[in-house]
Amino acid sequence: MTLHPQAQSRSRARFLADRIRTFIQSEAVLAIAALAAAASMAAFPPVPDNLPAYLEAIDLRTIGLLFCLMTVVAGFTRAGLLARARTLLTRGQSGACRIVLLLVTISFFASMVVTNDVALISFVPLTLLLLQHATPRTLIIALVAQTVAANLGSMMTPIGNPQNIYLYSTFNIDLGTFLATLAPYGILGLAASLLPCVLIPNEPLAANELRETPINRHLLAVYSVLFALALACVGRIVSWELCTIVTIAACLIFDRSVLRHIDYSLLATFVCFFIFVGNLKHVDALVTALQGLLAGREALVSALTSQIISNVPAAIMLSGFTHNATGLLIGTNIGGLGTPVASLASLITLRIYARSGNAQTGRYLLYFLVYNVILLALFLALASVLGQT
């Protein structure tokens, strides 16, 4: 049966509208970033004379380093390293409290190396599997604690989350300064992550059979070398250009498929926000207003801004209007607490849990908000005591 041309046109229009709607829902931050970048072009049009400023606004070092680190993490996943690690670490555990303590601790320390979102993608499904026979309250507390652990653990290293990679690179922060600045918050963060676990009874759980995952030693060796190279780039021992070229070449030679598993939408989001901030810097009145707002309040303003647009965009946007790297570093990291959108990694847990059987999403959000808002206030108070707000 052949559709009438008008009917075909309407069908194609509906299909296109559905695709656009699906894309916006799945890539909301990218869509907002692209819209912001496009709107900012009214203030600083992309005419030929302005194109050099557009290119200068894009921090290629951050983009290249982020690409290399995402490639390495995707490569370790394809090599079976993360799956093997979670199988080995949970072997022999039986009580609910012990399992949750272990999973929360793993998420905290793993996020320092593989980023908070990858830690949650890797270990939240395992939590759902191991606690499938636990009470709904136990599961929700475990997931909230695990999400807090990933967000707070990731603040401890320059490669733990995207905003750290960006700020560490953009402001040329010394590694010792970075670690010393965030150490008090990391120590408190570990305690805050483990605290909810005391509410979980050590009830026995039915055994779950975890399949042994084979390790691809060839890929593991390749990505171990690339990881070492990326760390050398973070430490400014090698250039980001060399690191990026070697990473791409190694992928093309040894594992082309890994290039399909990179989060290119995150890279595009960074580019859009770079353009947005770069264009805003050409509006003198706005620059003066934002500088006045931030002066002496970088940590507080960036933490509160993160509650609305999340901490990665907040770091990029506000970095163009202050030289206080310490304030932004603290504010955007503790700003990952609070609302579910404050850290995009938090949405990963919410999405995975909401799709699981018998999910109590409303109850989860209540527990999440109450605990995260309390922690946000506590961490802001610590920053105030340390004179870093």
Side-chain angles (χ1 to χ4, degrees), residues 159-188:
I159 62 173
N161 52 52
Q163 74 266 17
N164 280 2
I165 294 172
Y166 168 69
L167 293 173
Y168 184 81
S169 172
T170 300
F171 289 96
N172 292 315
I173 303 173
D174 176 74
L175 180 59
T177 301
F178 180 98
L179 296 177
T181 297
L182 293 175
Y185 302 94
I187 294 171
L188 179 60

Side-chain angles (χ1 to χ4, degrees), residues 140-305:
I140 288 173
I141 292 175
L143 292 175
V144 169
Q146 193 173 19
T147 305
V148 168
N151 283 329
L152 294 179
S154 66
M155 78 163 65
M156 294 295 292
T157 66
I159 62 173
N161 52 52
Q163 74 266 17
N164 280 2
I165 294 172
Y166 168 69
L167 293 173
Y168 184 81
S169 172
T170 300
F171 289 96
N172 292 315
I173 303 173
D174 176 74
L175 180 59
T177 301
F178 180 98
L179 296 177
T181 297
L182 293 175
Y185 302 94
I187 294 171
L188 179 60
L190 180 58
S193 302
L194 296 175
L195 182 62
C197 300
V198 303
L199 301 175
I200 297 177
N202 200 33
E203 55 189 287
L205 300 174
N208 291 282
E209 194 68 30
L210 296 179
R211 186 176 59 185
E212 192 75 21
T213 303
I215 294 289
N216 187 321
R217 298 185 183 277
H218 176 69
L219 288 182
L220 181 60
V222 170
Y223 290 110
S224 294
V225 172
L226 293 180
F227 183 53
L229 183 64
L231 291 180
C233 182
V234 171
R236 303 184 182 91
I237 299 173
V238 301
S239 67
W240 71 267
E241 294 95 338
L242 176 62
C243 185
T244 304
I245 290 171
V246 171
T247 299
I248 294 174
C251 292
L252 292 176
I253 295 172
F254 300 107
D255 187 24
R256 293 187 179 186
S257 297
V258 75
L259 296 174
R260 296 199 298 265
H261 298 272
I262 309 301
D263 187 1
Y264 294 106
S265 65
L266 179 60
L267 299 178
T269 299
F270 266 70
V271 171
C272 289
F273 273 112
F274 284 143
I275 293 173
F276 172 67
V277 173
N279 290 344
L280 292 186
K281 291 170 73 172
H282 293 277
V283 183
D284 294 337
L286 183 59
V287 170
T288 301
L290 286 174
Q291 287 176 339
L293 177 65
L294 283 168
R297 297 182 289 270
E298 285 83 359
L300 177 61
V301 172
S302 57
L304 296 179
T305 304

Side-chain angles (χ1 to χ4, degrees), residues 341-355:
V341 301
S343 170
L344 296 182
S346 300
L347 296 178
I348 292 174
T349 303
L350 176 60
R351 183 163 45 192
I352 294 175
Y353 174 65
R355 292 175 179 175

Side-chain angles (χ1 to χ4, degrees), residues 2-15:
T2 303
L3 293 176
H4 188 276
Q6 290 184 341
Q8 288 181 332
S9 178
R10 286 195 296 269
S11 178
R12 285 193 295 267
R14 282 196 299 270
F15 174 77

